[in-house]
Amino acid sequence: MYKILLVEDYEDNANLIRRILTAHDYEFYWASDAQTGYDMALEIMPDFILLDLGLPDMDGQTLSCWLREVPSLKTVPIVAYTAWQKEVALRMVDAYCLDDYLGKPVEMKTLLAKIREYLI
Amino acid sequence: MSEHEIELVPATQYTVRELVDLYNQTRVDYLVPMPMNANRLQEYINDFDVSLEHSFVARDEEHVYGLGMLGLRAERAWITRLGVLPISRRKGIGGKLMSRMLEAAEALGKPQTILEVIKDNTPAHNLFTKLGFKPVRNYTILRRAPFPPKENALGRPTWLDHWDILDCLAQGSYQSWVNAPESMANGKNLLGFRLKVPGLGKGWVALRIKVFSLTHLILHVEEGDPVEVGTQLLRHLHHHFPRQDTYAENIEVDDPLMAAFQRLEYFEVFQRIELVRENHVPLNK
C-alpha cells in the first residue's frame, strides 16, 4: 500500500483528502505544519508527498529543499498544493526541487490522477 | 448577521492564538497564501510595533468576523493584517475596521497612515481609495531558493555588529515599514556586512537570519555601479548561506539593484502597492 503524506494546515482540506485517499487504498498521513511534516517524512518514508506551500511555521517550498537533502527522500515525488497563480507556482516548482503542482481548490479526480502519474 | 449588531473591540481582548486563528480564517482564499502560527504573529506584533490596544476585532454576541491591526511609530501609523471572513464580506465590516483604526491613528496625533495592498486586490484597493489613501510606491517581493551561486564573489566582506548595522540602516534610503530601521532593530538575528571592491565600488547588506531562511534583505550601494556591486554583495551572501531560502520583501520595482537580484536568480512572487493617507483629512462617513 502506498504511503502518502499530506502537509497542509487547513484541517477541512486534510479531512477531505484523507477520505478520498483512504477510499482508494492509500495509506494516508497528515502533518499540519512544516516541522511536523519534516519529522513525519523521516519517520514514515512516504512514497508521495503533497505539500501545501502556505504553511504557518515556514513556507512549504523551504521544507521541500530540506526534504531533498535527506538521501532517502531525494527521489520521492513532492507535488505542491497551492493557491499561487500558475506562473508563480511553476517558478516555485522549478526553483524548489518540486516535481509538480496542483492548484487549489483541487478536484479529487485531478488529485488521484496526479498521484497515479507518479505511483504506478 | 445584522450589520447593527457588529461591534469593534480592541484586539487586547483576545489571545494571540485566537487572533491568529481568526486571521488565518479571513485569509483562507487570499490572493497570496500567507498563513501564520501564534509564534509568527507574536513576532510580527513585536517586530512591527503593532499596538493591540489600537487594533480591532469585529464581532457580535456569537461570532467574530474580522480584524485589523495598527502599527504605531513616531510620525506614522501602519494598517496591516486587515481581513474579514469570506462569508461575511461586502457588509461594510472592512470599512468599519479601517475607519476605527484611522480614527485611532488621528487621535494619537499621527500625521500619516500607510499600508500596503497586493496588486490586483481590487476590492481592498477600492476600499482604501474611498478612504482617501493614495498610491506612492510599487514594491516587488522576491524569492530565491537555497543553492550556492555559480560564480565566486570579489573582495572580502567585513561583518558588522548590531549597532553598525543599525547605523547603516539609519543612513540608507527609504524603506517600507517591515524593513524600516525600527523593524530591523526590534527583530532578532540581525546580520550585515560591508564590501569594498577596488575598481568596482562599495556597499553593504543587512538582513535577518532564521534557521531555514534569510529575510528582510536590504542592499545598499554607496559607490559604483549598483548592478555590479549589488551582484558581488549577493554572491557573498549566498556563498555564505547556501542552505537558506531567501525572501526579499518590498524592493521598489524600479530599484537599480533589480538586475543584480535577477543575476542571482531571484524571481518575483507578487507585487504590493504602498498607499498613504494624510490623517487630517476627514473620513467620509
Side-chain angles (χ1 to χ4, degrees), chain B residues 52-68:
Chain B
L52 291 182
E53 183 187 342
H54 301 98
S55 303
F56 296 94
V57 172
R59 71 178 190 193
D60 61 19
E61 286 177 4
E62 293 181 359
H63 301 293
V64 287
Y65 297 103
L67 79 168

mmCIF file of all heavy atoms in Angstrom, chain B residues 52-68:
data_model
loop_
_atom_site.group_PDB
_atom_site.id
_atom_site.type_symbol
_atom_site.label_atom_id
_atom_site.label_comp_id
_atom_site.label_asym_id
_atom_site.label_seq_id
_atom_site.Cartn_x
_atom_site.Cartn_y
_atom_site.Cartn_z
ATOM 1 N N LEU B 52 -1.887 46.268 19.990
ATOM 2 C CA LEU B 52 -3.138 45.503 20.065
ATOM 3 C C LEU B 52 -4.259 46.337 20.692
ATOM 4 O O LEU B 52 -5.435 46.105 20.416
ATOM 5 C CB LEU B 52 -2.929 44.209 20.852
ATOM 6 C CG LEU B 52 -2.048 43.169 20.154
ATOM 7 C CD1 LEU B 52 -1.946 41.898 20.993
ATOM 8 C CD2 LEU B 52 -2.571 42.838 18.769
ATOM 9 N N GLU B 53 -3.879 47.335 21.487
ATOM 10 C CA GLU B 53 -4.885 48.220 22.082
ATOM 11 C C GLU B 53 -5.602 49.021 20.992
ATOM 12 O O GLU B 53 -6.783 49.335 21.119
ATOM 13 C CB GLU B 53 -4.175 49.181 23.035
ATOM 14 C CG GLU B 53 -5.092 50.130 23.781
ATOM 15 C CD GLU B 53 -4.293 51.163 24.577
ATOM 16 O OE1 GLU B 53 -3.081 50.934 24.818
ATOM 17 O OE2 GLU B 53 -4.884 52.192 24.939
ATOM 18 N N HIS B 54 -4.892 49.324 19.914
ATOM 19 C CA HIS B 54 -5.456 50.122 18.824
ATOM 20 C C HIS B 54 -5.708 49.288 17.571
ATOM 21 O O HIS B 54 -5.895 49.825 16.480
ATOM 22 C CB HIS B 54 -4.527 51.309 18.518
ATOM 23 C CG HIS B 54 -4.307 52.196 19.699
ATOM 24 N ND1 HIS B 54 -3.179 52.091 20.500
ATOM 25 C CD2 HIS B 54 -5.070 53.162 20.247
ATOM 26 C CE1 HIS B 54 -3.268 52.977 21.488
ATOM 27 N NE2 HIS B 54 -4.403 53.635 21.368
ATOM 28 N N SER B 55 -5.698 47.981 17.748
ATOM 29 C CA SER B 55 -6.099 47.049 16.699
ATOM 30 C C SER B 55 -7.465 46.510 17.100
ATOM 31 O O SER B 55 -7.778 46.463 18.293
ATOM 32 C CB SER B 55 -5.088 45.895 16.583
ATOM 33 O OG SER B 55 -3.791 46.389 16.338
ATOM 34 N N PHE B 56 -8.256 46.093 16.118
ATOM 35 C CA PHE B 56 -9.650 45.807 16.459
ATOM 36 C C PHE B 56 -10.150 44.504 15.855
ATOM 37 O O PHE B 56 -9.716 44.084 14.784
ATOM 38 C CB PHE B 56 -10.547 46.971 16.009
ATOM 39 C CG PHE B 56 -10.229 48.235 16.740
ATOM 40 C CD1 PHE B 56 -9.345 49.151 16.200
ATOM 41 C CD2 PHE B 56 -10.782 48.486 17.987
ATOM 42 C CE1 PHE B 56 -9.006 50.309 16.896
ATOM 43 C CE2 PHE B 56 -10.447 49.641 18.688
ATOM 44 C CZ PHE B 56 -9.564 50.549 18.145
ATOM 45 N N VAL B 57 -11.072 43.886 16.593
ATOM 46 C CA VAL B 57 -11.770 42.689 16.140
ATOM 47 C C VAL B 57 -13.242 43.062 15.982
ATOM 48 O O VAL B 57 -13.813 43.717 16.860
ATOM 49 C CB VAL B 57 -11.621 41.543 17.160
ATOM 50 C CG1 VAL B 57 -12.508 40.359 16.790
ATOM 51 C CG2 VAL B 57 -10.161 41.117 17.258
ATOM 52 N N ALA B 58 -13.824 42.662 14.868
ATOM 53 C CA ALA B 58 -15.246 42.892 14.627
ATOM 54 C C ALA B 58 -16.007 41.655 15.058
ATOM 55 O O ALA B 58 -15.682 40.538 14.632
ATOM 56 C CB ALA B 58 -15.492 43.174 13.145
ATOM 57 N N ARG B 59 -17.004 41.851 15.891
ATOM 58 C CA ARG B 59 -17.743 40.683 16.409
ATOM 59 C C ARG B 59 -19.175 41.087 16.746
ATOM 60 O O ARG B 59 -19.514 42.257 16.838
ATOM 61 C CB ARG B 59 -17.060 40.144 17.654
ATOM 62 C CG ARG B 59 -17.203 41.064 18.865
ATOM 63 C CD ARG B 59 -16.561 40.484 20.098
ATOM 64 N NE ARG B 59 -16.923 41.271 21.287
ATOM 65 C CZ ARG B 59 -16.313 41.158 22.454
ATOM 66 N NH1 ARG B 59 -15.307 40.302 22.609
ATOM 67 N NH2 ARG B 59 -16.704 41.899 23.488
ATOM 68 N N ASP B 60 -19.994 40.058 16.938
ATOM 69 C CA ASP B 60 -21.278 40.283 17.589
ATOM 70 C C ASP B 60 -21.338 39.355 18.801
ATOM 71 O O ASP B 60 -20.297 38.860 19.239
ATOM 72 C CB ASP B 60 -22.453 40.089 16.619
ATOM 73 C CG ASP B 60 -22.532 38.671 16.053
ATOM 74 O OD1 ASP B 60 -21.938 37.731 16.643
ATOM 75 O OD2 ASP B 60 -23.177 38.501 15.007
ATOM 76 N N GLU B 61 -22.528 39.103 19.299
ATOM 77 C CA GLU B 61 -22.617 38.312 20.544
ATOM 78 C C GLU B 61 -22.151 36.865 20.345
ATOM 79 O O GLU B 61 -21.755 36.212 21.296
ATOM 80 C CB GLU B 61 -24.058 38.310 21.041
ATOM 81 C CG GLU B 61 -24.464 39.641 21.644
ATOM 82 C CD GLU B 61 -25.919 39.662 22.084
ATOM 83 O OE1 GLU B 61 -26.582 38.608 21.990
ATOM 84 O OE2 GLU B 61 -26.374 40.741 22.500
ATOM 85 N N GLU B 62 -22.232 36.408 19.109
ATOM 86 C CA GLU B 62 -21.952 34.981 18.887
ATOM 87 C C GLU B 62 -20.666 34.705 18.127
ATOM 88 O O GLU B 62 -20.043 33.670 18.341
ATOM 89 C CB GLU B 62 -23.113 34.364 18.101
ATOM 90 C CG GLU B 62 -24.406 34.327 18.892
ATOM 91 C CD GLU B 62 -25.545 33.692 18.099
ATOM 92 O OE1 GLU B 62 -25.317 33.309 16.934
ATOM 93 O OE2 GLU B 62 -26.653 33.602 18.638
ATOM 94 N N HIS B 63 -20.307 35.587 17.205
ATOM 95 C CA HIS B 63 -19.215 35.265 16.288
ATOM 96 C C HIS B 63 -18.232 36.420 16.150
ATOM 97 O O HIS B 63 -18.554 37.570 16.441
ATOM 98 C CB HIS B 63 -19.775 34.958 14.893
ATOM 99 C CG HIS B 63 -20.748 33.824 14.870
ATOM 100 N ND1 HIS B 63 -20.390 32.536 15.124
ATOM 101 C CD2 HIS B 63 -22.080 33.812 14.640
ATOM 102 C CE1 HIS B 63 -21.460 31.752 15.034
ATOM 103 N NE2 HIS B 63 -22.504 32.506 14.749
ATOM 104 N N VAL B 64 -17.060 36.071 15.674
ATOM 105 C CA VAL B 64 -16.099 37.095 15.250
ATOM 106 C C VAL B 64 -16.088 37.092 13.727
ATOM 107 O O VAL B 64 -16.291 36.047 13.099
ATOM 108 C CB VAL B 64 -14.683 36.845 15.812
ATOM 109 C CG1 VAL B 64 -14.627 37.164 17.293
ATOM 110 C CG2 VAL B 64 -14.222 35.434 15.533
ATOM 111 N N TYR B 65 -15.839 38.255 13.130
ATOM 112 C CA TYR B 65 -15.998 38.379 11.685
ATOM 113 C C TYR B 65 -14.758 38.911 10.977
ATOM 114 O O TYR B 65 -14.604 38.722 9.776
ATOM 115 C CB TYR B 65 -17.171 39.297 11.362
ATOM 116 C CG TYR B 65 -18.472 38.741 11.856
ATOM 117 C CD1 TYR B 65 -19.081 39.243 13.003
ATOM 118 C CD2 TYR B 65 -19.077 37.679 11.177
ATOM 119 C CE1 TYR B 65 -20.272 38.702 13.458
ATOM 120 C CE2 TYR B 65 -20.273 37.136 11.641
ATOM 121 C CZ TYR B 65 -20.858 37.654 12.783
ATOM 122 O OH TYR B 65 -22.040 37.122 13.240
ATOM 123 N N GLY B 66 -13.921 39.617 11.699
ATOM 124 C CA GLY B 66 -12.758 40.182 11.029
ATOM 125 C C GLY B 66 -11.859 40.891 12.011
ATOM 126 O O GLY B 66 -12.171 41.020 13.199
ATOM 127 N N LEU B 67 -10.712 41.313 11.492
ATOM 128 C CA LEU B 67 -9.783 42.059 12.345
ATOM 129 C C LEU B 67 -8.930 42.976 11.492
ATOM 130 O O LEU B 67 -8.861 42.823 10.257
ATOM 131 C CB LEU B 67 -8.891 41.110 13.146
ATOM 132 C CG LEU B 67 -7.692 40.446 12.457
ATOM 133 C CD1 LEU B 67 -6.775 39.794 13.484
ATOM 134 C CD2 LEU B 67 -8.086 39.453 11.413
ATOM 135 N N GLY B 68 -8.305 43.910 12.145
ATOM 136 C CA GLY B 68 -7.318 44.790 11.512
ATOM 137 C C GLY B 68 -6.335 45.198 12.585
ATOM 138 O O GLY B 68 -6.688 45.318 13.756
#
